[in-house]
Amino acid sequence: MGGIVGYIGTDNAVDVIISSLRKMEYRGYDSAGITILNDDLVTYKTAGKISELEKIIPAGFNGHIGIGHTRGATHGKPETKNAHPHLSSNIAVVHNGIIENYMRLKEKLIEQGYEFLSDTDTEVIAHLLHRTMKDNEACSLIDAVRHIMTKIEGSYAIAVLCTDEPDHIVLARKDSPLIIGLGDKNYFAASDVTAFLRYTKNAVYINDMELVQISPGGVEFYNNDGQRIEKQIEVIEWNEEAAEKAGYEHFMLKEIHEQPTSIQDTYAGRISELEGRVILDELKMDEDQLRNLQRVTIIACGTSWNAGCVGKYLFENLAGIHTDVETASEFRYADPVLCGQIFTLAITQSGETADTLAAVKSTKAYGCSSAAITNVVGSTITRETDSVFFTRAGPEIGVAATKSFTAQLIVLYLIAIHMGTVRGRLTPQTTRDILVGIKQLPGQVQRILNNKDVIKKCAEHYANVQDYFFIGRHLNYPVSLEGALKLKEISYIHAEGYAAGEIKHGPLALISSETPVVAIATKGHTYDKVLSNIKEIKARSAEVIVVANESDNEISKYVDRVLRIPDCHELLSPVLSAVVLQLLAYYTALARGCSIDKPRNLAKSVTVE
Ligand code: AGP
């Protein structure tokens, strides 16, 4: 994550760029930088927030053309050398996205004599542009950008300055947002419309593989073949607060809708489809250590704990490692039996949950290899474990965890596959099938989002009940726990998640026509068993809502409502089912008029015991 800004106009570019970056700090805030093009490129950048950047910019520093960046680290630690803009001689670049093939490009550029000053993927863009313009002196900046777009793979929104063309900013995008703002003799570019909304409400949304050239006289748009194109100007009606929610009524709904992107961002650069393997540079364990592992102990709270429970099935199924999932608040006071052959894995969106931090600290004396999965760069947990895996979900503002949960699942798949491969447990075919399946998830989540009206109607129909049950087996058991947690925290309806086979050991006594039951009945080896549980429940007159695959034509005979997910690999269905249950909770809370983003009594990050 991160955000880019570009500005050409009559105002002080430093002030405009800094104020625009502030609006995008939510996209990442571990380092920031700015380049102003006067006669030369003058760059200031630093680790830390925008406020740190402001401190190092000398008073009176001014200009009318510039680019800026706020960063949420993906490649390279949050250090000053990795902050953008990145330079190659007379070229400066800011970039939002991930260049997946940067290692190969970097090796070639080093052979050609380029010196790299950062650990980022972005620096290859600056050097590639320089190389292109040096090789062909007639090449314009925009042609050079178009040329390198054929070389770089991955996602990007870039803004480029070059002293050879001191009147231009050139921009391009693929799979990362880029919006142009059109003011009166003032032109803006940003990753998010909120960045320039205080200056202009006229915006142009750039599509994939389109390029833009901004000059003091105006803005030109080009397609990938170099032809000028016309773009429609949209007048943004939102105020700044609504814009931060991108027009959604709540942050939670926005964050649910961001999942196609957050899932993709989380696996980007970590899957080599060519080799059919996972690349986890972050894991600080060698292959021998992985082979000798006796156990994985997952430590987490709340939704992160539910993700950990899915992880248990993954580590056991894919890597053949016994796995325990510990509630951090209990584990910190337990008498754990740990040793050096145990891998402790903390999962925490915020990286600041007090119980999780304390539980992780309590394992230190045992010499276990430790790792954390977190969404927040620079959070406390990142200093407490040997390895850190970042989910790249972007800031999650709604108290109810949504996109962070599915991103945590993605990282868990990747770690489990990596361990399974090293431990000789997975065939190349199985690995490939799951990796291909993971890459299909963003599109499949989008399909669920496109059909959300069915879920909304269902939520509204049951919005006034007092109690809900959620059931599932195997991987779908923790999904049912997560569905119940989501519903109770934002709609205040009492909801319980249960292992479907356990219903008859007590809860069945509570089942009646007043208690709808959500059964996660996706295709898999426990499908028939869940079907039997559904029949037991129907016999007690309860209404049953199932989450089922699109190709399941049978299930509707036995239940009251069916909420569909696309067909997928059995192990991957929790990602899709979770999205359905998030929407069910959201629309239930909406129908009940609840405070969705800030539910009563809850905080986003529980930093006290
Ligand atoms: C989930 O919707 C909750 N807000 C809560 O359970 C949360 O997952 C829990 O507090 C753990 O937070 P963490 O992931 O930041 O550690």
Side-chain angles (χ1 to χ4, degrees):
M1 271 295 264
I4 67 166
V5 169
Y7 172 72
I8 292 188
T10 51
D11 291 348
N12 178 350
V14 177
D15 292 347
V16 174
I17 290 170
I18 294 288
S19 87
S20 300
L21 289 177
R22 278 194 177 289
K23 285 283 163 201
M24 288 197 305
E25 216 167 11
Y26 78 90
R27 300 176 61 87
Y29 43 79
D30 62 48
S31 49
I34 183 170
T35 296
I36 299 293
L37 201 172
N38 287 325
D39 291 333
D40 242 327
L41 298 169
V42 183
T43 299
Y44 292 96
K45 55 184 183 174
T46 181
K49 297 189 175 181
I50 315 289
S51 50
E52 298 302 314
L53 177 63
E54 279 182 288
K55 285 183 199 160
I56 62 163
I57 297 177
F61 178 51
N62 203 341
H64 295 285
I65 299 183
I67 56 177
H69 189 266
T70 180
R71 177 166 187 255
T74 53
H75 289 78
K77 290 187 186 146
E79 294 171 357
T80 299
K81 69 170 183 178
N82 292 328
H84 302 211
H86 289 285
L87 283 90
S88 183
S89 180
N90 61 341
I91 287 170
V93 178
V94 288
H95 164 220
N96 169 220
I98 295 171
I99 304 303
E100 293 180 2
N101 61 338
Y102 84 101
M103 276 310 285
R104 258 179 288 145
L105 297 169
K106 185 171 176 173
E107 278 161 21
K108 261 201 209 149
L109 287 160
I110 288 172
E111 276 168 28
Q112 292 165 357
Y114 283 92
E115 189 193 352
F116 278 76
L117 303 179
S118 77
D119 305 323
T120 64
D121 49 340
T122 303
E123 201 178 346
V124 297
I125 299 176
H127 292 317
L128 274 177
L129 286 170
H130 181 261
R131 171 95 251 168
T132 306
M133 293 182 81
K134 199 172 152 211
D135 285 350
N136 177 359
E137 280 181 9
C139 181
S140 65
L141 181 59
I142 194 161
D143 283 339
V145 171
R146 192 177 9 263
H147 174 74
I148 69 139
M149 287 167 78
T150 63
K151 308 280 171 212
I152 54 179
E153 291 164 17
S155 58
Y156 50 86
I158 53 173
V160 187
L161 293 175
C162 174
T163 51
D164 291 349
E165 297 185 27
D167 282 347
H168 295 148
I169 303 176
V170 172
L171 304 108
R173 77 153 263 180
K174 178 179 168 268
D175 292 334
S176 282
L178 178 61
I179 306 120
I180 305 299
L182 306 174
D184 181 17
K185 295 190 189 127
N186 283 295
Y187 306 103
F188 310 82
S191 302
D192 187 330
V193 74
T194 48
F196 55 73
L197 219 46
R198 67 169 57 177
Y199 302 105
T200 179
K201 297 212 177 262
N202 295 332
V204 176
Y205 285 81
I206 306 305
N207 294 325
D208 278 348
M209 307 311 283
E210 290 178 349
L211 297 96
V212 185
Q213 179 166 280
I214 309 185
S215 320
V219 182
E220 293 167 0
F221 303 99
Y222 293 87
N223 69 14
N224 196 25
D225 297 325
Q227 287 155 341
R228 279 278 297 269
I229 51 173
E230 293 299 316
K231 298 281 295 179
Q232 200 179 330
I233 300 174
E234 317 226 358
V235 181
I236 307 292
E237 306 287 355
W238 314 323
N239 59 28
E240 283 190 40
E241 199 212 317
E244 275 164 22
K245 293 186 197 145
Y248 290 101
E249 202 173 337
H250 295 97
F251 280 109
M252 182 182 178
L253 190 61
K254 172 177 178 258
E255 287 156 8
I256 291 172
H257 280 77
E258 282 171 346
Q259 288 175 109
T261 308
S262 54
I263 289 170
Q264 192 177 355
D265 285 349
T266 299
Y267 70 65
R270 289 168 164 161
I271 292 178
S272 165
E273 218 170 333
L274 213 65
E275 298 159 67
R277 72 178 184 96
V278 162
I279 305 156
L280 283 184
D281 295 337
E282 304 97 319
L283 184 59
K284 306 284 176 268
M285 286 174 82
D286 62 32
E287 298 206 343
D288 277 343
Q289 282 175 296
L290 288 176
R291 277 187 213 101
N292 293 331
L293 270 187
Q294 287 175 5
R295 193 176 2 129
V296 175
T297 295
I298 296 176
I299 301 166
C301 300
T303 286
S304 297
W305 186 84
N306 292 338
C309 292
V310 176
K312 171 183 167 67
Y313 291 99
L314 301 177
F315 287 124
E316 294 184 346
N317 181 302
L318 297 173
I321 311 179
H322 173 80
T323 302
D324 297 317
V325 191
E326 304 283 354
T327 306
S329 55
E330 288 296 317
F331 186 79
R332 62 184 292 188
Y333 297 113
D335 302 304
V337 182
L338 298 169
C339 67
Q341 281 75 45
I342 291 174
F343 176 61
T344 58
L345 177 60
I347 308 178
T348 165
Q349 185 282 134
S350 60
E352 302 293 351
T353 299
D355 284 325
T356 306
L357 291 171
V360 167
K361 280 187 186 145
S362 77
T363 65
K364 285 208 165 155
Y366 299 90
C368 313
S369 302
S370 62
I373 300 176
T374 186
N375 197 35
V376 181
V377 175
S379 59
T380 307
I381 195 75
T382 61
R383 295 186 288 279
E384 296 294 339
T385 56
D386 304 327
S387 312
V388 181
F389 301 95
F390 289 109
T391 48
R392 301 171 189 146
E396 193 174 64
I397 313 285
V399 163
T402 51
K403 59 178 179 170
S404 64
F405 176 73
T406 48
Q408 288 167 350
L409 295 186
I410 297 299
V411 175
L412 288 164
Y413 288 117
L414 299 180
I415 302 176
I417 292 168
H418 180 65
M419 289 188 172
T421 308
V422 172
R423 291 163 68 91
R425 167 99 178 180
L426 288 177
T427 63
Q429 192 52 49
T430 312
T431 307
R432 220 162 265 131
D433 288 349
I434 304 174
L435 293 180
V436 168
I438 290 175
K439 289 203 158 181
Q440 287 169 348
L441 288 172
Q444 292 174 326
V445 169
Q446 191 56 56
R447 234 173 42 229
I448 294 170
L449 297 172
N450 294 347
N451 296 321
K452 60 182 183 265
D453 275 356
V454 181
I455 304 171
K456 184 169 188 257
K457 281 202 186 98
C458 176
E460 286 165 355
H461 182 80
Y462 296 105
N464 293 318
V465 302
Q466 304 263 324
D467 307 278
Y468 247 102
F469 277 88
F470 288 74
I471 60 165
R473 279 175 183 255
H474 193 249
L475 281 161
N476 288 334
Y477 166 43
V479 175
S480 74
L481 296 176
E482 176 59 8
L485 176 60
K486 250 0 27 129
L487 188 72
K488 71 182 122 189
E489 76 177 321
I490 60 165
S491 77
Y492 315 142
I493 295 177
H494 165 244
E496 286 192 47
Y498 251 90
E502 276 289 296
I503 280 279
K504 56 185 171 299
H505 297 290
L508 209 50
L510 292 173
I511 301 288
S512 71
S513 58
E514 310 287 302
T515 51
V517 177
V518 178
I520 328 293
T522 51
K523 284 287 180 193
H525 67 290
T526 58
Y527 175 81
D528 291 336
K529 299 289 172 197
V530 178
L531 211 53
S532 307
N533 299 130
I534 290 172
K535 288 175 190 163
E536 282 160 13
I537 289 162
K538 280 306 296 172
R540 271 81 188 173
S541 316
E543 298 211 6
V544 175
I545 305 153
V546 290
V547 179
N549 290 106
E550 281 171 353
S551 63
D552 186 346
N553 301 320
E554 285 294 295
I555 195 104
S556 51
K557 291 183 198 152
Y558 308 108
V559 300
D560 299 278
R561 280 168 196 262
V562 188
L563 306 177
R564 301 284 181 182
I565 64 163
D567 292 355
C568 62
H569 191 291
E570 176 182 357
L571 294 181
L572 299 176
S573 69
V575 174
L576 303 178
S577 302
V579 177
V580 171
L581 300 184
Q582 291 163 1
L583 287 165
L584 186 69
Y586 174 81
Y587 284 118
T588 305
L590 190 69
R592 291 165 68 90
C594 298
S595 163
I596 293 182
D597 285 332
K598 290 188 179 141
R600 68 186 179 208
N601 306 337
L602 299 178
K604 181 65 185 162
S605 166
V606 187
T607 54
V608 289
E609 191 174 0

